[in-house]
Amino acid sequence: MQTVRLGRTNAPVSVVGLGCGGHSRLGMARGADAHHAASVVRRALDLGVSFIDTAPAYGTEEAVGKGIAGRRDQVFLSTKASPRRGGDRAPISAAELTESLEGSLRRLGTDHVDVFHLHGVPSGQYDHCAQVLVPEMKRQQAAGKIRFLGITEQFIGDTSHAMLPGALADDHFDVIMVGFNLVNPSARQRVFPLTRARDVGTLIMFAVRRQLSDPAALREAVADLIARGEVDGGQVDASDPLGFLRDHAGIGSVVEAAYRFCRHEPGAQVTLTGTGDVAHLEANLAAIQAPALPADVLERLMRLFGKVDSVSGN
Ligand SMILES: NC(=O)c1ccc[n+]([C@@H]2O[C@H](COP(=O)([O-])OP(=O)(O)OC[C@H]3O[C@@H](n4cnc5c(N)ncnc54)[C@H](OP(=O)(O)O)[C@@H]3O)[C@@H](O)[C@H]2O)c1
């Protein structure tokens, strides 16, 4: 397994991160039980994955706990707390943040997490996070329950990365999670220069999601982008927008190309892959560790999608 230094955490972690949320939630979103989910985690560890991301909102922390039992020292473990309450969406207090952390530690079967994120923070909630929740995260860090502080954006609603630049300027966070994919590569200009300047670790989400794993979803998204003028309809085959990837002998599928695109982006460190399917996991590990896409493919992708910042790929 290829490894990368995760920014100023200095930790060497696998370039592949197992994402335990998204549309799959280790298969639990489609009815798989926690035993299956834990077996996906164990298989990932067996294959050398050392970065695992989960969150209370995903309902997978217990399964992750089962999967890493007896192997905690092999894992750089990432979980989160939502800055909003489940019911009324009101901002949570410092005490509620700590309650959330304690619940995560219990479900994960550990006494500390390696990175603890504020989960899916929209711009409008960032000030509360910085003023009320970050000081509490630092107290928990001093108590040894959190090694590093992190923040994740709400990419579905913040496709142009409005929140992260301010958070990075404040310099509270050692690690961030950012949406980046070949249809919306806008983090290249808006986020990675800032993380590189401050040596902040980067986790890439939305590499594939639905848009790049479902041809119908891709066609629909590209039709909308053409209609909005973000993609030049003269440059793209709207009935098969990424069909040209198949002309390259070395590219097996759109999903493979999508993970390779992220993995080799300067500034991108861990590429998350979310799946409940062990065959997909194995294929995705190979894709993320494959060489960069050919230069002509990268140029064509940038000609097509280089100006897009309005879709997440959800
Ligand atoms: N704001 C946030 O903090 C936030 C938001 C979203 C995600 N995340 C994190 O980022 C992680 C990654 O996001 P994601 O889970 O959406 O991951 P992703 O890797 O971009 O996309 C996963 C989707 O693609 C499918 N897929 C994966 N491999 C495939 C393959 N080889 N062939 C066909 N389909 C394939 C999966 O279905 P199968 O199960 O069928 O493989 C799943 O529906 C999440 O798991 C979560 O940890 C964080």
Side-chain angles (χ1 to χ4, degrees), residues 73-96:
D73 57 349
Q74 291 175 31
V75 183
F76 197 92
L77 192 54
S78 158
T79 193
K80 319 186 184 81
S82 169
R84 298 167 295 280
R85 287 201 200 115
D88 60 8
R89 313 303 285 158
I92 63 166
S93 64
E96 286 168 313

Side-chain angles (χ1 to χ4, degrees), residues 19-24 30 53 58 80 119-120 152-154 177 205-209 213 255 259 272-277 280 283-284:
C20 303
H23 296 304
S24 291
R30 276 181 303 226
D53 176 65
Y58 305 158
K80 319 186 184 81
H119 191 173
T152 80
E153 66 182 357
Q154 193 188 43
M177 192 183 293
M205 60 178 169
F206 286 75
V208 167
R209 212 66 182 185
S213 59
V255 169
Y259 284 124
L272 294 165
T273 177
T275 186
D277 178 328
H280 284 175
N284 300 347

Side-chain angles (χ1 to χ4, degrees), residues 2 12 17 22 24 56 83 91 105 125 137 140 146 159 179 185 200 223 228 273 294 296:
Q2 298 164 11
S24 291
L105 295 176
Q125 290 177 8
M137 290 165 89
Q140 296 304 325
I146 297 173
T159 56
V200 167
R228 287 203 298 273
T273 177
D296 62 318

Side-chain angles (χ1 to χ4, degrees), residues 218-270:
L218 179 65
R219 275 196 300 277
E220 198 179 311
V222 169
D224 285 348
L225 289 166
I226 293 171
R228 287 203 298 273
E230 279 186 75
V231 164
D232 177 354
Q235 299 254 10
V236 69
D237 172 0
S239 67
D240 189 12
L242 293 173
F244 67 92
L245 293 174
R246 286 194 295 273
D247 301 340
H248 281 264
I251 300 177
S253 67
V254 169
V255 169
E256 178 200 306
Y259 284 124
R260 286 168 69 183
F261 180 84
C262 293
R263 156 72 175 102
H264 293 281
E265 175 69 18
Q269 292 166 356
V270 173

Side-chain angles (χ1 to χ4, degrees), residues 19-58:
C20 303
H23 296 304
S24 291
R25 295 193 279 118
L26 297 173
M28 294 177 80
R30 276 181 303 226
D33 61 17
H35 292 290
H36 170 84
S39 74
V40 176
V41 172
R42 281 193 287 270
R43 183 71 186 132
L45 295 181
D46 291 346
L47 293 168
V49 172
S50 65
F51 190 98
I52 298 184
D53 176 65
T54 182
Y58 305 158

